[in-house]
Amino acid sequence: QCCTDKSAARGSPHMPCQPQNCSSYIPCGHGIGYNCTGRPGIPESRGKDRCCSRQGVPSMHDECQLAASDCGRFQPCPHGAVGVDCSTQDRGVCCLGDGGACRLEEACEAYVDEQHRWSVARAIIAVAAALVLAAVGAAALKRRWCQCCSGRRRMNTDASTASLPVSDCTVVDHRFPPIFHSKRVALLFSCSAYQPDGGYDELANANSDADALREQLKSMGYRTFQYPDATLEQMEQGFQLVVQQIAGESSPLVVVYFAGHAVEIGGNMMWAAKDSTSRDGQSHFAVVRWTQKLLDIHTRLGARELGIASKPVKDAFFVFLADCCRDPANFANSVDSPLRRLQVPGVAEHRPWLYVVYATDPGRPADDGQGDHSPFMRALLDHIRKPMPL
């Protein structure tokens, strides 16, 4: 005998505790999740009934999510037709009609043929473009500038040879071949509405900035995960989800965007989540805790710390876009010291690349903007499809 979990439907086939005859027990093939639609006519069952998670990491268009909290962002397909993402290895669930790589299972072969034809066409175009560039002259390649924030200083970045990787490949240095990315993933956090008594003002453009960037990145082939008005717990969940997405990949590209209030301690970003309070350091998201973990993702020990023990990630590219203030922190309480990196000896091969693009200088505020977007987002949308030297 055992107790039936009260949070799940009694006698659910995915619960080990069953009616006495065990007649309805069927184990999950891909892990257990939570049914975001619930049982018909019983709204209180939404997010409580357990079900099998498809592919281990379901999309927002799959009624079975990984955790009950995911149901807060669950968006069913408006037309009820669910397909598969032909561009991903696991062929994750997506809505038919969205275009791009979302097809019926049997149509994925045609998608692969289309991509092959486009690859040939792009190769021809690339050769032609290379000949044109050669005619223009190599001198143009030496002009590397980055304009950050309207009215901010112009920075000569000849010392840094990395180009912002927003497309199919990254040119780390023009003397070397481009690096092609096996998978492109974007994680977008934003917060416009803070707690009334939290000490942070509302931001008119934070969520809309993230929406605009998400649409741009989706059109460029990124798989996007967005958390508007993100809580501290959702930020942790978002990073964990992205790590699962790139597990075992070689040269994946991950873009992490944040728009909202933030402060800095010793040069380390502390993002203000929806449930953060301005005087409580423990309620903020310490970005350095995750960047230090990600810098060891190429090692087995680092991968194990991230929950992907047998699937280290080789040559990963992480680009953080920080559309937030960098004012000094003024916390009433102390903040835990950042975790130290594992520093695995002798494992320099396949180490990740990590870049941070800021909207403002150290110790300065960032502008939310008077129009539809912040100055940082307006500039980003204008230039995101172009190579951007850092």
Side-chain angles (χ1 to χ4, degrees), residues 319-357:
V319 179
F320 283 69
L321 305 174
D323 193 359
C324 54
C325 297
R326 302 178 67 186
D327 296 317
N330 186 26
F331 296 140
N333 58 348
S334 61
V335 179
D336 293 339
S337 299
L339 298 173
R340 291 188 177 183
R341 285 191 58 198
L342 298 175
Q343 297 293 350
V344 182
V347 188
E349 190 178 10
H350 302 303
R351 65 185 181 183
W353 302 69
L354 192 147
Y355 307 98
V356 182
V357 184

Side-chain angles (χ1 to χ4, degrees), residues 212-363:
L213 181 58
R214 176 174 178 264
E215 292 305 311
Q216 282 285 341
L217 293 176
K218 282 181 64 178
S219 70
M220 297 165 67
Y222 282 76
R223 190 167 192 179
T224 60
F225 300 91
Q226 184 178 7
Y227 294 82
D229 289 332
T231 64
L232 196 62
E233 181 182 7
Q234 287 176 327
M235 289 183 176
E236 289 286 344
Q237 290 176 351
F239 273 99
Q240 290 168 0
L241 180 58
V242 164
V243 167
Q244 294 295 327
Q245 287 286 312
I246 63 173
E249 294 286 340
S250 180
S251 300
L253 169 58
V254 178
V255 172
V256 180
Y257 172 78
F258 174 73
H261 288 292
V263 293
E264 282 192 359
I265 296 181
N268 295 322
M269 289 186 291
M270 305 288 289
W271 291 346
K274 180 180 176 66
D275 47 355
S276 299
T277 55
S278 61
R279 298 281 287 168
D280 181 9
Q282 302 292 347
S283 69
H284 289 65
F285 184 79
V287 183
V288 67
R289 290 181 174 274
W290 269 99
T291 56
Q292 288 179 339
K293 292 179 183 179
L294 295 175
L295 287 172
D296 288 314
I297 199 171
H298 63 302
T299 69
R300 290 195 175 276
L301 183 57
R304 185 165 66 245
E305 290 286 325
L306 290 166
I308 52 172
S310 61
K311 298 179 179 180
V313 182
K314 298 179 179 179
D315 304 307
F317 276 72
F318 297 101
V319 179
F320 283 69
L321 305 174
D323 193 359
C324 54
C325 297
R326 302 178 67 186
D327 296 317
N330 186 26
F331 296 140
N333 58 348
S334 61
V335 179
D336 293 339
S337 299
L339 298 173
R340 291 188 177 183
R341 285 191 58 198
L342 298 175
Q343 297 293 350
V344 182
V347 188
E349 190 178 10
H350 302 303
R351 65 185 181 183
W353 302 69
L354 192 147
Y355 307 98
V356 182
V357 184
Y358 295 99
T360 187
D361 290 331

Side-chain angles (χ1 to χ4, degrees), residues 111-130:
Y111 171 79
V112 173
D113 291 339
E114 290 175 13
Q115 296 305 302
H116 178 70
R117 289 194 296 271
W118 273 108
S119 297
V120 173
R122 283 197 295 265
I124 295 174
I125 294 172
V127 171

Side-chain angles (χ1 to χ4, degrees), residues 36-53:
C36 293
T37 59
R39 284 170 286 171
I42 309 178
E44 59 269 20
S45 67
R46 180 179 181 271
K48 295 181 179 179
D49 287 356
R50 298 196 179 187
C51 58
C52 281
S53 296

